[in-house]
Amino acid sequence: MSLRSLSRSLLRPMSMSTPTTTRLAAVHSHLQHTNTPLTTPHQTRPKTTTTMSSPTTMKAIEITQTGGPEVLSYKTDHPVPQPVEGQVLVQNSISGINYIDTYFRTGLYPSPKPEILGREGVGAIVSLGPGADSYGFKVGDRVAWLGTGGYAEYTAVPAAKAVKVPEGISDEDVMAGFLSGLTVLTLVKETYPVQKGETVLVHAAAGGAGSLMVQVLKSIGANVIGTAGGEVKCALAQSLGADTVIDYRAEDWVSKVKEVTGGKGVDVVYDSVGKDTWEGALEVIKRKGTIVWFGNASGPVPPLPIQKLSPKNLKVARPQLFGYIETREEYEFYTNELFALLKSGQLKVKVHNVYPLEQAAQAHIDLEGRKTTGKPLLKP
């Protein structure tokens, strides 16, 4: 699939044989799971488990309490999980590191402890729980998955949120583009369907999601203004096609956006930064524009007095990824789109670094210190 084809598909509504699920907004995070049970393609499922040989203990990063990167504890004897009904056990080759992991570590998003962080991974299926083969999986299949417990050698994940990876895409490229790429595609297709010729502001344009968003927006024909911190990150955003790049460390980005747009403002703001940028978004958005908040890199957006939206007739959204891929049909629609772009090379990904599992704490330090350019990955 070419990027031109992508731009046409992004401007078309999805055609699905079943009704799509209710769209969720104003929730904790675009990456956090819903409480809706995962759907399965068949009502009758076999009660057998298919397994290949695997150890009883594994290496993993565990946290027992909230705190800084120092609470990430490296274990070499953590029990290997066993897949229950509807799950597959995956031996991870690469796991993704995402900013949401820091929210669960610090307690910004509550979660039960002890906990193994990590919301995505890629690897080989070594065991199928009852009913998992109804998705067409078998032992040995290479899959990418969304779930929990990725900072480990093995993860039991819902079969409904695992998908076979086509040949021709490396594990590193899959993880550099998987969760971030699905997020980007849903944001520009459903949260605010961007049209050719519109002007879009993308914060953190050199980050894992931002660098992919710039490319997708340019394929649609949008005019992209990106912000980033420092010369290296700004150069990356520019190389990916951003029409204007603003170094927020050296420039007043609000004044610069107003200058670039001739005072009119932008049609839509995609903001994964949050606390440090939310007020500026209200200044640079045009009349009848839309602000999409989908992350909290600098902290959460504070409670917003709704009357602030009325002077410009603004719309705001706070989407989460899982609200857009709740059904298997939705999930496959977006993963197929993403894999086609990655396999063809039309969508370029950038890996910041592949950290050994025992260096997970350093990865968090680098991520929170805004020292990463592209996607940090973890090697279990």
Side-chain angles (χ1 to χ4, degrees):
M1 174 183 292
S2 67
L3 281 178
R4 182 170 295 177
S5 298
L6 171 63
S7 67
R8 290 196 296 267
S9 70
L10 289 172
L11 298 178
R12 296 196 304 267
M14 285 190 298
S15 175
M16 294 192 173
S17 58
T18 59
T20 56
T21 55
T22 303
R23 301 309 180 197
L24 305 179
V27 292
H28 288 318
S29 169
H30 67 295
L31 307 181
Q32 190 172 358
H33 296 286
T34 69
N35 292 322
T36 305
L38 296 173
T39 58
T40 57
H42 304 294
Q43 294 298 318
T44 303
R45 292 173 289 189
K47 298 299 181 181
T48 59
T49 302
T50 304
T51 310
M52 67 183 295
S53 178
S54 60
T56 58
T57 60
M58 65 178 182
K59 299 174 184 177
I61 299 293
E62 183 184 71
I63 60 172
T64 58
Q65 62 183 4
T66 58
E70 70 279 357
V71 304
L72 295 167
S73 178
Y74 177 63
K75 303 291 185 181
T76 59
D77 58 352
H78 196 282
V80 172
Q82 296 302 307
V84 299
E85 184 162 339
Q87 289 186 332
V88 295
L89 181 65
V90 178
Q91 183 177 12
N92 298 311
S93 59
I94 294 289
S95 298
I97 300 174
N98 296 284
Y99 220 100
I100 191 175
D101 300 342
T102 70
Y103 304 157
F104 288 107
R105 192 204 73 222
T106 61
L108 177 62
Y109 293 165
S111 57
K113 302 294 185 291
E115 177 182 16
I116 295 177
L117 300 176
R119 259 56 191 174
E120 60 175 337
V122 60
I125 292 178
V126 297
S127 180
L128 280 72
D133 57 354
S134 63
Y135 290 87
F137 294 131
K138 64 182 185 300
V139 169
D141 282 343
R142 177 173 171 245
V143 297
W145 59 265
L146 298 176
T148 58
Y151 290 15
E153 289 185 288
Y154 295 86
T155 308
V157 300
K161 286 297 179 279
V163 61
K164 293 180 184 179
V165 179
E167 294 294 331
I169 314 175
S170 70
D171 290 345
E172 289 81 3
D173 284 354
V174 169
M175 276 298 93
F178 194 58
L179 194 151
S180 297
L182 294 176
T183 298
V184 166
L185 289 175
T186 55
L187 289 177
V188 302
K189 186 177 182 69
E190 296 202 53
T191 307
Y192 181 90
V194 178
Q195 306 296 310
K196 181 178 181 180
E198 289 187 317
T199 300
V200 181
L201 174 61
V202 179
H203 283 302
S211 60
L212 300 180
M213 182 172 284
V214 169
Q215 296 177 70
V216 172
L217 289 170
K218 289 309 299 179
S219 76
I220 295 171
N223 178 42
V224 179
I225 302 173
T227 68
E231 292 183 5
V232 173
K233 291 187 176 184
C234 286
L236 174 61
Q238 190 167 35
S239 72
L240 295 173
D243 299 278
T244 302
V245 180
I246 303 170
D247 186 346
Y248 69 83
R249 294 180 181 175
E251 300 178 87
D252 179 345
W253 68 267
V254 172
S255 297
K256 187 65 175 179
V257 170
K258 290 180 178 179
E259 176 188 331
V260 170
T261 61
K264 294 180 180 179
V266 298
D267 294 281
V268 58
V269 176
Y270 287 107
D271 187 349
S272 61
V273 177
K275 181 182 177 181
D276 290 350
T277 51
W278 75 273
E279 289 183 290
L282 295 172
E283 291 189 55
V284 302
I285 193 70
K286 72 189 322 182
R287 184 176 62 89
K288 297 191 289 186
T290 299
I291 302 172
V292 181
W293 284 301
F294 68 101
N296 312 293
S298 65
V301 174
L304 177 68
I306 198 167
Q307 60 267 27
K308 283 185 173 289
L309 308 180
S310 58
K312 294 183 181 179
N313 286 355
L314 301 180
K315 295 183 286 294
V316 296
R318 185 58 174 88
Q320 61 152 327
L321 171 61
F322 279 84
Y324 291 131
I325 58 171
E326 187 171 314
T327 70
R328 184 68 184 183
E329 189 174 16
E330 290 171 319
Y331 186 52
E332 290 183 351
F333 174 86
Y334 281 115
T335 54
N336 288 339
E337 188 106 31
L338 177 62
F339 286 152
L341 291 171
L342 291 174
K343 186 173 182 178
S344 68
Q346 299 291 318
L347 190 62
K348 307 294 184 183
V349 296
K350 179 173 177 56
V351 174
H352 169 71
N353 190 23
V354 180
Y355 296 84
L357 185 63
E358 59 268 27
Q359 292 182 15
Q362 184 61 52
H364 277 225
I365 291 171
D366 293 344
L367 186 62
E368 291 179 295
R370 302 189 183 185
K371 297 178 181 179
T372 60
T373 302
K375 183 70 173 278
L377 302 177
L378 202 60
K379 179 72 173 176

